[in-house]
């Protein structure tokens, strides 16, 4: 039996009672922190609370050589990830491999940043369109700095039909956790290059450390928000589409947004 | 202090350790089950596990006369809801009222059906567009049966740009919990009336009792899926847009979908 368990957003106390029980009943417990991670804890603290030895898996262990999967044929194995479980493509792939090996699988869900953002900002979850992610720029073989324009295109597509865009920011082992500030700079750089006027001067909302005791949620016009200090990671960004009045009110009163948001809202 | 706590998906064991601790430290604990509800438990079981008396709030208590809010001025009050917290408009409104009264608020997140559906079906969360909800048909003043066409329009808008649509099904005190079967019948009825060919013969996925030990996830062509027995509520429906190969494989191998899904995928 292989149990996929979502750990929730921030620390070792975000696991559900059901998840904790499954971990404690497991013969072997694996965890991967490269698709997502919990900033408010570490393996030691988790092991202490869960009362189990945890084995940290690398990307290779998960994607290339998941030999550990075989142990789930006759043992109780748990596989832990940040956020909700089975949200990454690579986890779906893992579940398919397990099923192919005749291993029974089940899921125990955890809180996800996608719905948390909606609660934290007051932006209604049914008014979000396709989500985007911003990768760190990279150098092409000719030495040019390349910025992906895909996230900008997704924001544009959503905004045109009035929808909000949730933007995941790169978690890169070497280049680090992308901040809201860098993300906005990259979007504005694409915007300037293309000569379009979508994001500059439009509302944006940054969220830092969702799930912690004091998450930061700050709304402002994008060009101003890019200078706000959100503090430690993880960060995530929302570019709202058309705001309903209650959404604008929430951004003003709960996220320190400028009063102009309410005047411009529906 | 007013703490909004998301209870997760199915029963009293879906609350996080953090949420349970907050409930146990509260002076007063309120719960509302009309925007969402936990099918695998009841107030008695919750009270027993949480070790606290729970007060059930009606829609009126939440939306019209939330006098109980005042108690949070000098007591520790928790407000519990199914799924993640603060996802409904009415909860945002409540938080704004609390802030207006000078009451400090905080959120403790729980698993949400939005991300659970992605994990359960293998459909990638970043490929979902705007979500929809299907209300029960109602009778107009002239006695005609009226079916909302909005959910059909949302599916159409998403499908045209290749995105999946998550469809929430009506939870109505009098008319009951809508099933996947009824939802598909209503969509197909709108489709026939309009003479369009979007949903009939296209893939659909129904999910029942997400978060329970044995959730049902079944994929098929919409006109066939409407005859499948999903068992007890809650149900939820996805109309996929364009399927990537891995998504199609997941629907075939994890949700009993027809092999044709894989042949038609990207």
């Amino acid at each position: 039996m292989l149990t996929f368990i979502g750990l929730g957003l921030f620390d070792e106390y975000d696991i559900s009672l059901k998840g904790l029980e499954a971990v404690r009943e497991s013969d072997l417990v694996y965890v991967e922190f490269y698709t997502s991670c919990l900033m408010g804890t570490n393996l030691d603290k988790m092991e202490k609370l869960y009362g189990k030895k945890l084995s940290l898996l690398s990307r290779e262990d998960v994607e290339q050589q998941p030999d550990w999967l075989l142990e789930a044929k006759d043992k109780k194995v748990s596989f832990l990830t940040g956020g909700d479980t089975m949200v990454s493509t690579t986890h779906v792939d893992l579940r398919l491999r397990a099923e192919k090996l005749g291993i029974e699988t089940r899921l125990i869900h955890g809180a996800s940043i996608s719905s948390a953002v909606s609660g934290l900002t007051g932006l209604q979850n049914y008014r979000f369109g396709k989500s985007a992610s911003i990768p760190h720029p990279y150098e092409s073989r000719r030495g040019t700095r390349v910025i992906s324009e895909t996230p900008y295109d997704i924001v544009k597509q959503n905004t045109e039909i009035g929808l909000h865009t949730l933007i995941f920011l790169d978690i890169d082992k070497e280049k680090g956790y992308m901040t809201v500030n860098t993300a906005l700079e990259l979007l504005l750089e694409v915007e300037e290059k293309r000569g379009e006027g979508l994001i500059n001067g439009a509302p944006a909302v940054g969220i830092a450390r969702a799930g912690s005791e004091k998450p930061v949620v700050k709304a402002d016009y994008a060009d101003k928000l890019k200078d706000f200090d959100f503090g430690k990671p993880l960060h995530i960004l929302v570019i709202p589409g058309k705001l309903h009045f209650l959404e604008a009110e929430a951004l003003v009163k709960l996220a320190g947004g400028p009063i102009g948001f309410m005047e411009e809202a529906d």
Side-chain angles (χ1 to χ4, degrees), chain A residues 171-230:
Chain A
I171 299 179
D172 189 275
K173 237 184 181 173
E174 284 159 30
K175 294 178 178 170
Y177 304 108
M178 186 180 288
T179 61
V180 165
N181 316 81
T182 304
L184 283 169
E185 276 161 19
L186 291 170
L187 286 172
L188 291 169
E189 195 173 329
V190 171
E191 174 148 294
E192 198 175 319
K193 183 182 140 200
R194 292 174 33 162
E196 302 187 30
L198 187 69
I199 290 171
N200 197 12
V205 195
I207 298 110
R209 298 174 301 288
S212 72
E213 202 158 333
K214 298 257 178 227
V216 168
V217 184
K218 172 68 183 168
D220 206 336
Y221 295 105
D223 42 317
K224 290 198 173 152
L225 195 68
K226 81 171 170 10
D227 300 320
F228 184 83
D229 181 5
F230 283 90

Side-chain angles (χ1 to χ4, degrees), chain A residues 5-265:
Chain A
I5 303 175
L7 296 173
L9 296 169
F10 189 71
D11 63 34
E12 70 271 29
Y13 294 95
D14 286 322
I15 194 171
S16 67
L17 304 186
K18 204 176 270 179
L20 179 63
E21 199 186 327
V23 169
R24 289 190 171 158
E25 283 176 356
S26 295
D27 301 310
L28 293 163
V29 186
Y30 295 94
V31 54
E32 73 83 355
F33 275 153
Y34 73 90
T35 64
S36 164
C37 59
L38 302 188
M39 298 305 292
T41 190
N42 56 42
L43 283 188
D44 268 2
K45 289 185 190 170
M46 290 169 65
E47 287 185 337
K48 206 166 280 176
L49 178 67
Y50 303 163
K52 279 282 169 181
K53 168 104 190 64
L54 306 183
S55 307
L56 186 67
L57 298 170
S58 67
R59 180 188 284 262
E60 205 204 347
D61 295 330
V62 175
E63 298 181 9
Q64 307 301 325
Q65 296 280 350
D67 300 334
W68 55 275
L69 263 188
L70 291 170
E71 302 179 292
K73 287 190 105 165
D74 49 15
K75 290 200 183 86
K76 287 183 185 167
V77 175
S78 289
F79 176 71
L80 315 184
T81 52
D84 197 358
T85 186
M86 276 270 299
V87 165
S88 295
T89 315
T90 182
H91 304 153
V92 179
D93 189 55
L94 208 52
R95 193 170 173 213
L96 285 168
R97 288 184 195 228
E99 296 276 339
K100 225 170 272 175
L101 291 166
I103 296 165
E104 202 185 335
T105 61
R106 66 168 177 156
L107 316 186
I108 297 180
H109 299 280
S112 162
I113 187 67
S114 313
S115 65
V117 158
S118 188
L120 286 165
T121 58
L123 296 170
Q124 291 306 295
N125 68 332
Y126 67 92
R127 303 191 65 239
F128 280 78
K130 182 178 162 75
S131 52
S133 34
I134 301 189
H136 285 286
Y138 65 94
E139 253 191 33
S140 74
R141 273 186 283 178
R142 291 183 177 188
T144 329
R145 180 164 160 275
V146 182
I147 303 179
S148 165
E149 298 195 13
T150 309
Y152 191 90
D153 288 325
I154 294 174
V155 172
K156 190 174 170 185
Q157 187 183 58
N158 285 332
T159 306
E160 280 171 357
I161 49 177
L163 301 180
H164 313 318
T165 310
L166 177 64
I167 308 180
F168 295 93
L169 309 184
D170 206 351
I171 299 179
D172 189 275
K173 237 184 181 173
E174 284 159 30
K175 294 178 178 170
Y177 304 108
M178 186 180 288
T179 61
V180 165
N181 316 81
T182 304
L184 283 169
E185 276 161 19
L186 291 170
L187 286 172
L188 291 169
E189 195 173 329
V190 171
E191 174 148 294
E192 198 175 319
K193 183 182 140 200
R194 292 174 33 162
E196 302 187 30
L198 187 69
I199 290 171
N200 197 12
V205 195
I207 298 110
R209 298 174 301 288
S212 72
E213 202 158 333
K214 298 257 178 227
V216 168
V217 184
K218 172 68 183 168
D220 206 336
Y221 295 105
D223 42 317
K224 290 198 173 152
L225 195 68
K226 81 171 170 10
D227 300 320
F228 184 83
D229 181 5
F230 283 90
K232 285 194 273 182
L234 298 177
H235 294 183
I236 194 160
L237 175 65
V238 180
I239 305 290
K242 188 76 194 153
L243 292 170
H244 280 178
F245 186 78
L246 188 73
E247 293 178 316
E249 192 182 357
L251 291 183
V252 172
K253 299 194 175 153
L254 305 172
I259 194 85
F261 282 16
M262 282 164 78
E263 289 154 9
E264 297 151 16

